[in-house]
Amino acid sequence: MKKSFLFLLLLFIQFVNSQTPAPELALVKKDGKYGYLTKEGTFRIEPKYKNAKNFSEGLAAVEDNGKWGFIDMKGTLVIPATFDNVKYFGSGICVVSKDKKWVYINTKGDVLTAPASEKVFDFENGVAFIKQGNKIGLINPKMTVVLEPKYDVIKSFENGFAKVKNNDSWGIINTAGKVVVEIAYQEIGNYYKATTWAKKGESFGLVVAGKFIPVDGADKIWDFGTQDLTYARKNGKIGFIDLKGNWAVTPIFDKAKAFSKNLAPVLVGSKWGYINLKGDFIIQPTYSDAETFSSNGLAPIKESNWGFINEKGKIVIPTQYGITSNGLLSLFSDQEKGFINGVARVKNEKKWGFLKPDGTVLGNQWFENAEPFQK
């Protein structure tokens, strides 16, 4: 009976551990050494590395005696430091340099045999590029070709879709290499809810269900963000269009940024404010710069420096910080500015740290450098 109970208890513990999400850790530099910070503001891994990189898929690259290896989130070296240079894990695969040659390894550190390619590319969205001659194709993590090299250009995948170019014409494919927007446009945007903006001849418009719909008077359209409106330009002014290509907000602004929380930053003259979905000002244009709202309902705004307002326009964190989307060693280049998963990376008197939504500093600590939290 006792053995059965202990067996069931062990199974339960294993189940709970398997259901516990991996923590997010931030790479920070303190006293010239790199370590990893938790969202509680304490060190999960004390600063002891001369060089280190962000976590990706539960592993982080660290340098030891001029060579790179990988640690897990406990700080245990799980892939020995034998590489000259390393990148980041994606789909369980990482690009590393060894003996002056770039190769793929798996999470055990085993070198993988990949299809012939003139360059070794990172995995993203479950695929990586291969280049043969002047053409680009795709492989999967099993090192199988899923798209023979046939395009002049394939841009980075976003949410499973990528822009492709052949003979000066652009279209969009998915990670299986299937064309979802025909390669027939002079310019093309991101793929959002089966819709993209594109330029056909001299006209800018939307491609919906394979059909090009010109947008009245538009001479530039920006990518869709998280809401069903994006900004576009007409006669030198910026407004917003919907997914059908209709002007939802009249183009009367000098600049604009994406809608989030049903509010969008717009520029009038030299000042930024926020409009609602009808184009009415909810927060008057009084700021020298402004960014989109984060999911927690706070947005970065700039006076002499950066602070944060709530959706009613009240300053809840004073404008005394520097702010950036990502740091020098960051994994991602397109991180939104402001609060990301509960914290905001800011600079204060040449030091970096993280703000909590109440304006307090995470762990009451400032660092020589601090990177966004990653898993």
Side-chain angles (χ1 to χ4, degrees):
M1 185 69 178
K2 287 183 178 180
K3 289 183 178 179
S4 298
F5 175 77
L6 288 173
F7 178 72
L8 290 173
L9 180 62
L10 286 172
L11 284 179
F12 176 75
I13 292 171
Q14 289 177 350
F15 173 78
V16 169
N17 288 337
S18 68
Q19 300 300 306
T20 303
E24 289 182 286
L25 300 178
L27 175 67
V28 297
K29 187 177 183 180
K30 183 177 181 180
D31 298 327
K33 299 290 185 180
Y34 287 96
Y36 295 88
L37 194 72
T38 69
K39 282 195 172 177
E40 287 71 44
T42 59
F43 278 105
R44 179 69 173 264
I45 302 170
E46 292 289 335
K48 60 181 179 179
Y49 302 106
K50 180 181 178 181
N51 283 307
K53 297 190 177 187
N54 287 314
F55 271 93
S56 58
E57 299 189 347
L59 297 173
V62 296
E63 186 182 2
D64 183 23
N65 292 323
K67 297 290 185 179
W68 289 87
F70 291 86
I71 59 171
D72 62 17
M73 287 194 163
K74 295 180 180 179
T76 303
L77 189 68
V78 293
I79 299 178
T82 60
F83 305 109
D84 300 318
N85 204 347
V86 296
K87 295 190 178 181
Y88 295 94
F89 273 93
S91 305
I93 309 293
C94 185
V95 177
V96 301
S97 174
K98 190 172 185 178
D99 300 326
K100 299 182 179 180
K101 183 180 180 181
W102 288 96
V103 295
Y104 290 115
I105 61 168
N106 60 21
T107 54
K108 295 179 180 179
D110 301 325
V111 175
L112 306 177
T113 301
S117 178
E118 295 172 15
K119 182 179 177 180
V120 180
F121 296 86
D122 294 325
F123 271 85
E124 55 181 13
N125 282 236
V127 291
F129 304 148
I130 54 172
K131 182 179 182 182
Q132 296 175 1
N134 294 321
K135 296 295 183 178
I136 307 293
L138 300 173
I139 60 173
N140 63 22
K142 295 181 180 180
M143 299 297 142
T144 302
V145 175
V146 295
L147 174 66
E148 292 290 345
K150 60 184 288 187
Y151 291 107
D152 298 334
V153 178
I154 304 179
K155 293 290 188 179
S156 295
F157 277 86
E158 295 179 22
N159 301 316
F161 300 95
K163 309 170 193 177
V164 296
K165 181 182 180 182
N166 254 352
N167 301 322
D168 294 325
S169 292
W170 290 90
I172 295 176
I173 63 171
N174 62 19
T175 53
K178 180 183 177 181
V179 174
V180 296
V181 177
E182 65 175 328
I183 293 84
Y185 300 96
Q186 283 72 58
E187 296 180 32
I188 205 161
N190 68 337
Y191 199 60
Y192 174 83
K193 294 188 175 181
T195 301
T196 184
W197 67 264
K199 182 182 181 183
K200 187 174 185 179
E202 297 301 317
S203 298
F204 279 84
L206 300 183
V207 182
V208 183
K211 182 181 179 181
F212 180 77
I213 304 170
V215 173
D216 176 44
D219 61 12
K220 185 174 177 61
I221 302 174
W222 283 263
D223 285 344
F224 282 91
T226 59
Q227 295 195 213
D228 294 353
L229 296 177
T230 192
Y231 46 113
R233 187 176 66 200
K234 178 180 180 180
N235 296 327
K237 294 294 183 178
I238 308 296
F240 289 82
I241 59 173
D242 61 22
L243 284 170
K244 296 180 179 178
N246 301 313
W247 287 101
V249 176
T250 303
I252 58 174
F253 306 105
D254 296 309
K255 289 184 180 180
K257 298 177 184 179
F259 268 97
S260 177
K261 308 290 285 187
N262 293 329
L263 295 170
V266 295
L267 180 70
V268 177
S270 61
K271 298 296 182 181
W272 289 84
Y274 291 82
I275 58 170
N276 62 15
L277 297 173
K278 296 180 180 179
D280 300 325
F281 273 103
I282 301 301
I283 301 171
Q284 292 299 315
T286 56
Y287 305 109
S288 60
D289 203 350
E291 294 292 339
T292 57
F293 275 88
S294 299
S295 58
N296 69 350
L298 298 180
I301 48 86
K302 187 178 184 181
E303 293 178 327
S304 58
N305 219 326
W306 289 91
F308 294 84
I309 58 171
N310 62 21
E311 294 170 62
K312 294 182 179 179
K314 179 182 177 182
I315 293 180
V316 295
I317 298 176
T319 53
Q320 65 185 59
Y321 299 104
I323 190 169
T324 185
S325 57
N326 54 278
L328 296 175
L329 305 176
S330 227
L331 172 57
F332 301 110
S333 60
D334 57 352
Q335 292 272 10
E336 62 182 294
K337 293 182 181 180
F339 279 87
I340 303 170
N341 296 330
V343 294
R345 178 181 181 270
V346 297
K347 188 176 185 179
N348 186 40
E349 296 181 353
K350 299 182 179 181
K351 294 283 188 178
W352 294 96
F354 299 95
L355 293 182
K356 296 191 287 187
D358 62 4
T360 59
V361 179
L362 183 66
N364 196 30
Q365 295 189 78
W366 295 96
F367 306 99
E368 294 152 42
N369 191 34
E371 295 297 318
F373 281 86
Q374 307 286 356
K375 292 183 179 180

